[in-house]
Amino acid sequence: VQLVESGGGLVQPGGSLRLSCQASGLVFGAFDVSWFRQVPGKERELVAGINSTGDSTNYADSVKGRFTISRDNTKMTVDLQMNSLNSEDTAVYYCSGRHHVYSIIEYWGRGTQVTVSS
């Protein structure tokens, strides 16, 4: 099983990035997927989540109205569109998949760095 994040990088404040999480080796449609982020010295925080069928999403208050999570079960991908980025969005972003029935089954990617700076 692999979850591989991509799309991170350096962006100016106010800019946009689109992260993608590519899954392989699992029944993707059985997994809820979330994006988390972590800054050194701080706990990992939930950014956004989407259920296995894609008809329910949730967001951290800090990103509501700016970030959008979506998934394509055919392509086995979950994207995170991030707009109006600011310095507080700087972090390593991780993709996580959790089985929607057997929640103990969980997988993580290795993360992608997002840096918002002028």
Side-chain angles (χ1 to χ4, degrees):
V1 174
Q2 278 194 314
L3 297 177
V4 179
E5 302 94 338
S6 63
L10 174 64
V11 62
Q12 292 187 342
S16 298
L17 279 176
R18 189 175 184 89
L19 304 183
S20 186
C21 175
Q22 177 70 60
S24 61
L26 73 169
V27 181
F28 188 66
F31 283 77
D32 302 329
V33 178
S34 298
W35 283 94
F36 290 78
R37 65 187 181 188
Q38 189 168 25
V39 175
K42 293 188 177 181
E43 291 188 0
R44 191 171 295 187
E45 66 168 340
L46 175 67
V47 175
I50 188 165
N51 70 343
S52 58
T53 56
D55 58 5
S56 178
T57 59
N58 61 283
Y59 297 92
D61 287 343
S62 59
V63 307
K64 280 181 182 176
R66 300 189 298 123
F67 290 12
T68 303
I69 190 170
S70 61
R71 70 186 292 159
D72 184 330
N73 283 356
T74 300
K75 296 181 180 179
M76 298 176 66
T77 58
V78 171
D79 291 349
L80 184 68
Q81 178 65 43
M82 307 187 296
N83 299 328
S84 302
L85 288 162
N86 58 62
S87 59
E88 293 184 350
D89 297 315
T90 295
V92 177
Y93 283 71
Y94 298 90
C95 172
S96 171
R98 176 176 288 184
H99 197 280
H100 78 283
V101 175
Y102 307 105
S103 59
I104 195 172
I105 303 173
E106 185 176 25
Y107 302 104
W108 288 84
R110 294 188 175 184
T112 185
Q113 176 71 47
V114 171
T115 302
V116 184
S117 175
S118 55

